[in-house]
Amino acid sequence: NVIVDYFVKWQINDVRQYYVSLRGDEVNARNRLSQIVKDDLRNQFGSRTIQEAVSGERQEIMDSLRIQTNTVTERLGINVVDVRINRIDLPDEVSESVYDRMRAERELAAREFRARGKEEAEKIRAEADRKRTVILADAYKDSQQIRGEGDAVSAETYATAYGADPEFYTFYRSLDSYKNTFKGKNDVLVLEPDSEFFRYFNKSTGE
């Protein structure tokens, strides 16, 4: 029930055999060739499902047709050069189910591709997160090391200053304490007037 529109290119291979078998009549040659191709087409479609013939094996069918047809036309002095299937028409009751199945197969393939893409995206995302964690950890490690080195230099500087002039160093640290303690107008500090905190307030002579 499948209607196939095809084209056959042929040439005379043996003139004597051509005239003996077909009387040199081109119309007769075309009719015989057409019947041979139709018989081979029937065999080709009989060994395949309609889905296979429509979706993916047309070139294979054409190549097989050319080879099989030549085994018969050789006795007629004809050589088939090429066979082309231009169109395959399916009966209305079959075409819809065939295309539904083809559509389902394409949708399945699309879902598989999407699933693979999603899996690959997850792998890339996980690798990026891992690298980000490593980079942040390394940066934190470096910052802590730099901070530690800075604190060591600072402590060494303070120690050197204290060793050079302990009294001046104590005075300088007291000024920092006064400045940090009395930042706001509403700051209140309850201490004894003669406490150690007011040591330099009570020494107006600058000793």
Side-chain angles (χ1 to χ4, degrees):
N1 295 330
V2 178
I3 301 172
V4 181
D5 178 21
Y6 63 89
F7 167 79
V8 180
K9 182 178 180 181
W10 60 280
Q11 63 185 14
I12 299 173
N13 191 39
D14 187 328
V15 176
R16 181 179 178 279
Q17 189 68 29
Y18 176 73
Y19 275 90
V20 170
S21 302
L22 302 169
R23 301 178 182 178
D25 188 345
E26 185 178 346
V27 175
N28 189 24
R30 289 184 181 278
N31 290 336
R32 289 287 302 276
L33 186 58
S34 177
Q35 186 59 48
I36 293 170
V37 172
K38 287 180 180 178
D39 291 341
D40 285 341
L41 274 171
R42 191 177 299 111
N43 293 332
Q44 291 293 330
F45 281 95
S47 62
R48 293 175 172 83
T49 66
I50 295 178
Q51 288 83 3
E52 290 171 344
V54 172
S55 62
E57 299 189 7
R58 183 175 297 190
Q59 184 61 49
E60 184 179 339
I61 293 174
M62 291 188 295
D63 292 340
S64 182
L65 271 174
R66 180 178 55 78
I67 295 172
Q68 293 299 323
T69 303
N70 270 323
T71 62
V72 179
T73 60
E74 183 179 1
R75 298 192 300 267
L76 304 177
I78 295 174
N79 179 51
V80 176
V81 178
D82 193 16
V83 179
R84 293 289 167 183
I85 295 177
N86 298 324
R87 189 176 70 252
I88 300 176
D89 293 330
L90 303 176
D92 293 339
E93 64 272 15
V94 176
S95 60
E96 189 63 31
S97 63
V98 170
Y99 289 117
D100 283 345
R101 180 170 178 175
M102 291 172 62
R103 188 181 302 111
E105 291 174 353
R106 295 296 180 271
E107 290 176 353
L108 177 61
R111 284 196 296 271
E112 289 178 355
F113 279 118
R114 282 194 293 268
R116 292 177 192 171
K118 184 177 180 180
E119 181 181 358
E120 192 63 26
E122 291 295 331
K123 290 180 181 178
I124 294 173
R125 190 176 294 109
E127 180 64 15
D129 289 341
R130 186 191 67 80
K131 289 182 178 179
R132 175 180 176 274
T133 301
V134 172
I135 291 172
L136 290 176
D138 289 342
Y140 179 77
K141 177 183 176 182
D142 291 342
S143 68
Q144 290 297 105
Q145 182 177 352
I146 293 172
R147 184 177 292 109
E149 293 173 355
D151 290 342
V153 172
S154 175
E156 183 180 357
T157 303
Y158 278 124
T160 302
Y162 182 81
D165 192 342
E167 182 64 25
F168 178 78
Y169 179 75
T170 303
F171 172 68
Y172 180 79
R173 295 299 298 270
S174 296
L175 292 180
D176 276 343
S177 298
Y178 299 152
K179 181 174 62 176
N180 293 328
T181 302
F182 302 111
K183 283 184 177 180
K185 295 181 179 180
N186 297 322
D187 290 340
V188 177
L189 188 65
V190 179
L191 293 171
E192 293 290 337
D194 56 352
S195 68
E196 183 65 22
F197 184 77
F198 292 111
R199 173 183 175 188
Y200 291 100
F201 267 106
N202 296 327
K203 292 186 176 182
S204 58
T205 58
E207 295 179 7

